[in-house]
Amino acid sequence: MTVSVTAHPGPRGRYGAFGGAFVPETLVAALQRLDREATAALADPAFRTALDAALRDWVGRPTPLTRADRLSRALGAEIWLKREDLCHTGAHKINNAVGQVLLAERLGARSVIAETGAGQHGVAVAAACARAGLPCRVFMGADDVARQRGNAARIVRFGATLVPVDSGDRTLRAAIDEALRAWVGDPEGLYYLIGSVVGPHPYPWLVRVFQSVIGNEARAQFLAACGRLPDAVAACVGGGSNAIGLFQPFLDDEVELRGYEAGGRGSRPGEHAATCTHGTPGVLHGAHSLVLQDSGGQIVDAHSIAPGLDYPGVGPEHAALAAQGRVRYEAIPDAEAREALDLMCRLEGILPALESAHALAGARRLAEERPGALLLVGLSGRGDKDLDTLGAVA
Ligand SMILES: Cc1ncc(COP(=O)(O)O)c(C=O)c1O
């Protein structure tokens, strides 16, 4: 089994006090249809066979579980990496993109729209749409286009239309606003392919299902390699899709789960994107979750060196897991993420994405807290896209 269809949050899409679908009336029918059709598709052996084949033969799954020997020695814990950086197109985003494009085809959509922050989701959607022969438009904040030029070029190369968004915060939030606006204009003909476990129900559930392949593989690989489960599992959290995918099969185990958010430049509003750490309940992009907002309820701009974490919201299931205390969330400052990235490059010969570097920095903290522990770390993507941000050769 590659993906698991567990714990549907019910027709209202609630995760404890969070979730739901707070959308304009015109989108309600489209969301309800998506929920129905996705549930039917995931129960249909033909759909599952097509999904499994795409994940195996096109995405390149299963991805390896790598023991990071030199890093383990340096940090004093045993560190195993789940290598989503080795997926086709370079990050976990492709697991969800390929699954939702299969759904879009099944629903008879004329074309696909998507938003992207780091560009990894945009690249994944553009590639999956090219494979399916579906036209595709990708909305990307103008600032992200500038700092992720390579991914912007790849989106165009795959035949998608790239729409730079100059309004709002010119990053992921503005791109989602614009994509939602386009969808309201044609909810039947367009398929909106959301890239994380955010947005209105059923997206947080649907994206979690498609990303559960990460944790399902990792759990089995870990048991085969170590003969037991890890002491702790660490992942970075933007919207939260790689984290929820990795955590999913461990939720009922006695395993500590840690989500690492973008601590940015500091803890004042506008300096970070650490929503579970500093956020308060509110509605953003169709879901009730934790959000970064001021006392008047206005969304505050987020900041992170990692564009894929640069978002003032988080998936509602993470908000619920934080409230239950099942997952502990911590903020990693930009500088600490960069240090972890350098350590990984020099000790393991692996260039992680800046987003993933937050999970590695978390693993470093965990190793200090629990010397000798057995740690599973989600390496959500590769860092070639970040070379411009990382700067000149030192
Ligand atoms: C490599 C990588 N990791 C993590 C993320 C964060 O997304 P999520 O929290 O949905 O996994 C992104 C987003 O673009 C990404 O590109």
Side-chain angles (χ1 to χ4, degrees):
M1 188 209 333
T2 51
V3 302
S4 358
V5 188
T6 52
H8 186 283
R12 293 174 57 235
R14 307 297 293 189
Y15 302 86
F18 301 100
F22 299 86
V23 292
E25 195 57 35
T26 39
L27 294 183
V28 171
L31 288 168
Q32 286 174 345
R33 177 164 172 250
L34 178 60
D35 193 10
R36 259 193 333 269
E37 293 286 337
T39 303
L42 288 162
D44 177 352
F47 182 87
R48 295 296 290 257
T49 302
L51 176 62
D52 289 356
L55 289 172
R56 185 186 61 233
D57 303 333
W58 190 69
V59 172
R61 305 207 70 90
T63 57
L65 180 74
T66 304
R67 201 182 115 111
D69 285 329
R70 296 189 69 221
L71 188 71
S72 297
R73 275 201 296 281
L75 300 186
E78 190 175 329
I79 297 172
W80 292 78
L81 308 168
K82 181 57 176 162
R83 301 290 306 279
E84 295 304 290
D85 59 315
L86 295 179
C87 287
H88 176 46
T89 66
H92 68 294
K93 296 286 178 183
I94 195 79
N95 303 324
N96 168 55
V98 77
Q100 285 203 58
V101 164
L102 286 173
L103 263 183
E105 286 184 283
R106 190 179 162 110
L107 284 159
R110 281 194 301 278
S111 71
V112 168
I113 55 170
E115 82 295 334
T116 195
Q120 287 301 136
H121 174 58
V123 168
V125 174
C129 283
R131 175 176 179 270
L134 269 175
C136 166
R137 245 182 320 154
V138 179
F139 297 87
M140 187 169 185
D143 286 356
D144 288 335
V145 173
R147 61 178 165 166
Q148 300 281 290
R149 274 183 314 211
N151 276 345
R154 284 205 287 165
I155 291 167
V156 174
R157 189 66 45 208
F158 285 132
T161 304
L162 180 71
V163 187
V165 179
D166 237 326
S167 53
D169 67 352
R170 296 162 54 96
T171 65
L172 183 57
R173 171 158 66 102
I176 298 181
D177 285 341
E178 230 23 69
L180 279 169
R181 215 162 284 146
W183 194 32
V184 168
D186 183 10
E188 294 304 314
L190 295 178
Y191 183 96
Y192 180 20
L193 207 164
I194 290 187
S196 191
V197 285
V198 298
H201 178 68
Y203 286 107
W205 166 73
L206 188 58
V207 178
R208 184 238 284 155
V209 168
F210 287 129
Q211 293 296 3
S212 65
V213 66
I214 306 173
N216 288 341
E217 283 177 10
R219 193 177 188 284
Q221 289 168 322
F222 205 97
L223 281 172
C226 301
R228 70 169 178 97
L229 292 175
D231 295 310
V233 179
C236 67
V237 177
S241 67
N242 86 90
I244 213 83
L246 182 61
F247 294 165
Q248 159 91 34
F250 296 100
L251 284 172
D252 295 329
D253 295 320
E254 273 189 38
V255 169
E256 198 167 328
L257 303 177
R258 295 276 180 100
Y260 294 99
E261 309 188 295
R265 309 187 191 98
S267 57
R268 284 199 301 268
E271 292 183 337
H272 62 84
T275 317
C276 288
T277 312
H278 298 297
T280 48
V283 172
L284 179 64
H285 295 137
H288 183 240
S289 186
L290 292 171
V291 296
L292 300 177
Q293 59 192 332
D294 64 20
S295 53
Q298 294 298 313
I299 300 298
V300 172
D301 284 353
H303 164 78
S304 172
I305 192 174
L309 306 184
D310 200 346
Y311 181 61
V314 70
E317 192 169 6
H318 283 289
L321 289 166
Q324 287 161 23
R326 176 63 189 96
V327 180
R328 189 163 126 195
Y329 298 84
E330 288 179 17
I332 301 285
D334 286 347
E336 200 177 325
R338 280 185 81 125
E339 260 176 48
L341 181 143
D342 285 340
L343 208 57
M344 187 68 158
C345 287
R346 289 172 192 201
L347 293 181
E348 295 295 332
I350 296 171
L351 170 59
L354 272 166
E355 291 80 10
S356 323
H358 287 69
L360 296 165
R364 198 174 171 189
R365 288 186 184 179
L366 268 166
E368 269 172 33
E369 250 175 65
R370 305 179 61 157
L374 211 47
L375 307 180
L376 168 61
V377 184
L379 193 66
S380 55
R382 67 177 187 230
D384 310 48
K385 69 181 182 59
D386 297 315
L387 285 170
D388 283 350
T389 306
L390 291 167
V393 178

